[in-house]
Amino acid sequence: MTISERAKQIVTGAAPGAVGAPLDRVDGRLKVTGTARYSAEMPVANVAHAVIVGSTVATGRIASIDASAAERAAGVIRVITHVNAPKLTAGALTLLQDDRVRYNGQPIAVVVAGTLEQAMDAASLIAVTYIEGAPAAIDMAARKMDAYKPAGGQPDSIRGDIEAGIAAADVKVDARYSTPFVNHNAMEPHATLAVWEGDELTVYDSTQHVYGTRNGVANALGIPPEKVRVVSHFVGGGFGSKGRMWSHVPLAAMAARAVSRPVKLVLMRRQMFGPVGGRPETSQHIVLGARRDGTLTVVRHESVSHTSRFDEFVEMCARVTRTLYAVPNLETMHRIVKLDVGTPTYQRAPGEAPGTFALETAMDELAVSLSMDPIALRLKNYAEKDPESGRAFSSKALRECYRVGAERFGWSKRSTRPRSMRDGNALVGYGMASAAYPTRRTNASASVRLMADASGAARALVQSATHELGTGAYTVMTQIAADALGLAPEQVRFELGDTRMPPSPVSGGSMTSTSTGSAVHLTCLAAKQKLIELAVADRSSPLFGTRPENITAANGRLSRTTGTRAEESYAALLARQPDGAVTVRADIRPAASEYVTHAFGAVFVEARVDVELGEIRVPRIVAMYGGGRILNAKTARSQLAGGIIWGLGMALEEKTLVDHRTGRYLNADLAEYHVPVNADIGMLDISFIEEADPHVNPIGVKGIGEIGIIGVTAAIGNAVYHATGVRVRDLPITLDKVLGTARA
Ligand code: MOS
């Protein structure tokens, strides 16, 4: 069935049940016992191992590629280069189809051998010479004059009158901010296991989108999508890097076909830098104008980010600026610069994460200029409705986030003047920032099969081809299904990650719970309704002849609510059905909403800067979110903690270093590429303003996958400024940028 929603027709199911409870992860035991199978661990016989050889220059052509030594090496089955590669449709991928080199680390050969060690050894024996191309363009700052307006999306926006807004301002901030090129480093690297049976291909892949990968592989190989099955039961972190399919996936499928054996291809840690995206560098220019009382009269936000020479990716830094504050005159612009690097991609809160660093730092600078409390400045410009569209927000708890967050943090103890709080050798600073992320939702499908088990209890198998990225999807979908079906979570099994299941969207953009969660909810409600209809039409049922609206379904039982009491268990009813089961599948298409839907939050940070050494520590972060209904208090906190900790890494540590001459990655491992470790993380106080939002979607959720990282960088930078009086506008805020100036 297809369920088209009409707005407000669906009541948010808020009855007490599994949803909201801090249920332990249903896959927790599998994970801690090592029995959860990730893509490269699937039990497939006769697997050969593939290793990708990457280019060592960023531009030019391959003059020669000598694979003879590799081919003779022990265990080698095949070496595939552009000279002998089967014809594939590459599009914006790099699939060994020609001799051109477009970035350093681009796949130029695939070595297949009996073991991983043999493949790695042989890969080291391949001798390549290049005809060097034009000098590589790697330095975005040096190329800014080549910035251009991207063709797609909505790169620019304007409202009101910018000149008038500037003229009306008593105080201005005009500053430039930058965030560096950074790379995703999920615990599990990209991994693909390709298995052919005749003309049918199964791909076990670490992906955020099984259907997207299916279509991508089919397209590259020139075969119908129906011939490709993609399976992904567990993903060890995606964060956007596994949202689109990269070159190694069709290369693994191609290699498996070439050697007539299953092929496993797992990227090396250093190959996570280059061929599989990364968040682009950004350079942002912000102009704020305000009256003496703090009322914003104008905001301009211009962002430049890099893309590759051969594909277009835009980091939409200024999108959040269109919505966050009620300013009448606003202009936003996005420009991109082509560099000789691999195509960048979505990274957790693409746009918002670097965008709020610039905007929320600039707001802090404005507060300093006005001698105004940073929260008071934000409240002065609070957007009661979406300033861009003029439409109402479906719900917005940002005001409460500021208030309760400030209380929990102890914001009132903050002195106004920078460098005025000190504890021994530490300069102490308090900083804050706002967070906002749009709530998106798209089509999703689900199926449910209700049956009675051997013990005579009802069971449900619920399926949708969504993904478990470590987020808790298995768990929250189980909770949603249990409540909608009127069963306990133990009676529900939720399965995901397989293109044999009803489609779900990419697990990105914080829309898994909103889209797939709504589909699971509505499909399960439909299944419960079907049970009721079967019972009232069934002469063998005690409920025969009852009007359906006079029956409730809960705790695995159907009960009459009027007249003489009568009831029947789901299990008894199911036992009389063909196959002893009832199956419902639904395809859910969300209706357009009259509301603007957004999650909001506020982040408060204490920073301590050593007055001698410049060392920056963050002993505590208090974060408050209005994220709609919270499906699972435990996994929600965990999701947000992950985002906040990443924000701390983005603020203080992360930066991919690329050699400007060769395009080579200089810190392409977890020893040199710094991310937060436990010793870097202080107290995290994360809580929610629970919102009962009947408009956002049938289950009232907003999605919390990305908002955790948003605002953290600015809150930390603002705290460092408050501690030291030094304003750092270029991430990461490393100690060299405050050293010396931190000294009293
Ligand atoms: Mo997320 S960066 O939209 O996977």
Side-chain angles (χ1 to χ4, degrees):
M1 73 175 76
T2 296
I3 299 181
S4 291
E5 287 167 27
R6 266 171 293 143
K8 287 195 274 189
Q9 204 183 44
I10 297 140
V11 179
T12 306
V19 167
L23 198 73
D24 287 343
R25 288 171 191 266
V26 297
D27 52 342
R29 177 173 291 272
L30 286 178
K31 283 186 168 169
V32 298
T33 56
T35 41
R37 283 210 177 94
Y38 290 75
S39 298
E41 301 174 324
M42 296 303 281
V44 172
N46 196 31
V47 168
H49 296 261
V51 165
I52 286 180
V53 178
S55 68
T56 55
V57 298
T59 63
R61 290 178 182 277
I62 298 167
S64 69
I65 185 158
D66 180 1
S68 53
E71 282 163 346
R72 285 194 306 271
V76 170
I77 303 165
R78 190 73 55 93
V79 178
I80 307 171
T81 68
H82 73 276
V83 178
N84 62 352
K87 190 90 198 101
L88 300 181
T89 304
L93 301 174
T94 45
L95 302 180
L96 315 181
Q97 297 300 298
D98 57 42
D99 61 358
R100 288 189 51 206
V101 176
R102 301 187 287 188
Y103 59 94
N104 199 316
Q106 171 192 315
I108 57 167
V110 175
V111 180
V112 188
T115 70
L116 175 61
E117 292 75 12
Q118 289 168 334
M120 289 173 69
D121 177 52
S124 74
L125 301 175
I126 292 179
V128 187
T129 60
Y130 298 95
I131 302 163
E132 291 222 22
I138 304 296
D139 183 2
M140 190 180 86
R143 294 275 159 176
K144 268 170 67 181
M145 63 288 212
D146 298 332
Y148 67 99
K149 183 175 171 175
Q154 296 171 321
D156 294 359
S157 79
I158 189 148
R159 67 176 183 247
D161 181 338
I162 302 303
E163 294 304 315
I166 288 173
D170 298 318
V171 177
K172 264 181 282 193
V173 170
D174 183 333
R176 289 171 192 277
Y177 305 85
S178 73
T179 66
F181 182 27
V182 289
N183 278 91
H184 308 75
N185 268 290
M187 292 273 276
E188 180 203 27
H190 296 253
T192 305
L193 173 52
V195 186
W196 288 90
E197 281 173 278
D199 65 347
E200 304 213 332
L201 172 67
T202 301
V203 181
Y204 302 96
D205 191 39
S206 185
T207 177
Q208 292 171 240
H209 196 193
V210 287
Y211 273 88
T213 296
R214 181 183 80 151
N215 293 338
V217 170
N219 185 51
L221 268 58
I223 60 175
E226 302 76 50
K227 296 286 186 191
V228 182
R229 177 186 180 195
V230 178
V231 178
S232 190
H233 291 159
F234 292 96
V235 177
F239 315 113
S241 73
K242 296 167 182 171
R244 59 169 285 191
M245 187 193 74
W246 300 100
S247 305
H248 65 278
V249 182
L251 287 176
M254 174 189 83
R257 191 159 61 178
V259 302
S260 303
R261 273 175 74 173
V263 163
K264 184 186 293 191
L265 201 171
V266 181
L267 295 193
M268 312 282 165
R269 178 59 60 184
R270 70 184 138 79
Q271 292 175 329
M272 299 288 283
F273 296 74
V276 289
R279 192 198 299 276
E281 181 176 349
T282 77
S283 170
Q284 302 177 59
H285 180 199
I286 296 222
V287 176
L288 302 180
R291 295 190 209 282
R292 277 266 157 250
D293 69 355
T295 307
L296 286 167
T297 59
V298 67
V299 174
R300 281 191 86 251
H301 188 170
E302 181 179 357
S303 173
V304 181
S305 61
H306 84 257
T307 186
S308 68
R309 189 71 75 181
F310 52 93
D311 201 357
E312 198 168 281
F313 177 81
V314 188
E315 186 80 18
M316 291 291 284
C317 290
R319 191 177 43 203
V320 63
T321 307
R322 300 171 185 169
T323 289
L324 199 48
Y325 297 112
V327 58
N329 309 303
L330 173 129
E331 183 174 21
T332 66
M333 289 157 71
H334 297 88
R335 297 293 178 267
I336 49 177
V337 176
K338 285 188 185 297
L339 298 180
D340 294 304
V341 297
T343 307
T345 194
Y346 307 101
Q347 186 178 103
R348 204 168 195 171
E352 280 78 3
T356 51
F357 170 66
L359 177 64
E360 289 294 284
T361 306
M363 284 295 280
D364 200 69
E365 297 192 52
L366 182 61
V368 170
S369 298
L370 291 162
S371 302
M372 202 169 169
D373 178 84
I375 301 176
L377 175 63
R378 285 164 175 84
L379 288 172
K380 186 85 193 166
N381 297 286
Y382 195 80
E384 300 290 353
K385 54 186 182 175
D386 174 33
E388 187 73 358
S389 65
R391 286 151 60 205
F393 290 111
S394 64
S395 61
K396 179 175 179 177
L398 182 56
R399 197 187 294 280
E400 291 76 13
C401 289
Y402 291 140
R403 186 177 58 77
V404 182
E407 234 169 71
R408 291 181 79 96
F409 182 81
W411 185 257
S412 61
K413 297 191 195 77
R414 177 183 188 266
S415 67
T416 311
R417 216 158 38 80
R419 290 184 77 92
S420 58
M421 290 165 58
R422 190 160 171 165
D423 180 6
N425 254 8
L427 300 169
V428 180
Y430 289 179
M432 61 81 57
S434 314
Y437 193 79
T439 299
R440 304 191 178 94
R441 184 180 161 211
T442 187
N443 296 346
S445 304
S447 67
V448 53
R449 183 172 171 82
L450 283 159
M451 60 227 135
D453 69 9
S455 74
R459 298 267 158 193
L461 173 64
V462 183
Q463 295 184 322
S464 182
T466 187
H467 317 86
E468 175 59 67
L469 312 176
T471 51
Y474 275 115
T475 310
V476 298
M477 297 303 162
T478 301
Q479 292 171 279
I480 292 167
D483 282 7
L485 289 167
L487 292 173
E490 302 75 45
Q491 291 171 281
V492 175
R493 180 180 169 78
F494 180 76
E495 294 182 343
L496 54 70
D498 192 330
T499 51
R500 289 193 175 162
M501 297 174 187
S504 257
V506 58
S507 287
S510 295
M511 63 183 183
T512 299
S513 289
T514 61
S515 308
T516 307
S518 294
V520 165
H521 173 75
L522 295 174
T523 306
C524 290
L525 286 185
K528 195 166 69 177
Q529 192 58 32
K530 187 160 177 183
L531 288 185
I532 293 171
E533 280 157 18
L534 285 168
V536 301
D538 182 349
R539 291 183 179 281
S540 310
S541 172
L543 298 164
F544 177 67
T546 312
R547 293 157 68 96
E549 58 271 28
N550 293 335
I551 294 182
T552 58
N555 304 319
R557 305 188 77 76
L558 304 170
S559 313
R560 190 185 291 153
T561 53
T562 55
T564 22
R565 273 194 56 161
E567 59 172 35
E568 178 170 40
S569 71
Y570 293 2
L573 175 65
L574 288 164
R576 294 195 301 278
Q577 307 308 315
D579 297 332
V582 164
T583 302
V584 170
R585 180 196 149 130
D587 305 300
I588 310 298
R589 318 241 173 277
S593 172
E594 64 201 275
Y595 294 95
V596 174
T597 54
H598 248 78
F600 291 95
V603 187
F604 298 82
V605 167
E606 176 180 329
R608 290 176 165 246
V609 183
D610 188 288
V611 77
E612 304 285 343
L613 306 171
E615 185 195 30
I616 302 163
R617 308 292 301 175
V618 178
R620 62 193 184 101
I621 299 179
V622 174
M624 287 295 307
Y625 299 99
R629 191 165 176 216
I630 298 305
L631 293 170
N632 181 314
K634 191 182 280 184
T635 57
R637 187 195 178 278
S638 175
Q639 271 263 70
L640 289 161
I644 292 167
I645 291 165
W646 197 343
L648 185 134
M650 188 177 172
L652 301 178
E653 301 179 43
E654 280 192 66
K655 179 174 186 169
T656 299
L657 299 167
V658 189
D659 185 326
H660 285 178
R661 295 160 304 172
T662 62
R664 189 143 192 184
Y665 295 84
L666 301 175
N667 55 347
D669 58 59
L670 292 178
E672 300 296 327
Y673 187 95
H674 292 175
V675 297
V677 297
N678 281 342
D680 296 322
I681 303 156
M683 189 271 289
L684 301 181
D685 174 351
I686 299 160
S687 40
F688 307 99
I689 306 291
E690 278 254 4
E691 296 167 311
D693 186 332
H695 309 299
V696 65
N697 51 52
I699 51 175
V701 303
K702 288 189 172 176
I704 49 167
E706 331 219 12
I707 196 167
I709 194 173
I710 300 169
V712 177
T713 51
I716 290 175
N718 295 343
V720 168
Y721 172 79
H722 184 238
T724 62
V726 179
R727 182 66 72 181
V728 180
R729 300 189 182 90
D730 304 291
L731 292 184
I733 306 169
T734 44
L735 57 79
D736 52 295
K737 296 176 185 171
V738 295
L739 188 64
T741 40
R743 189 157 190 152

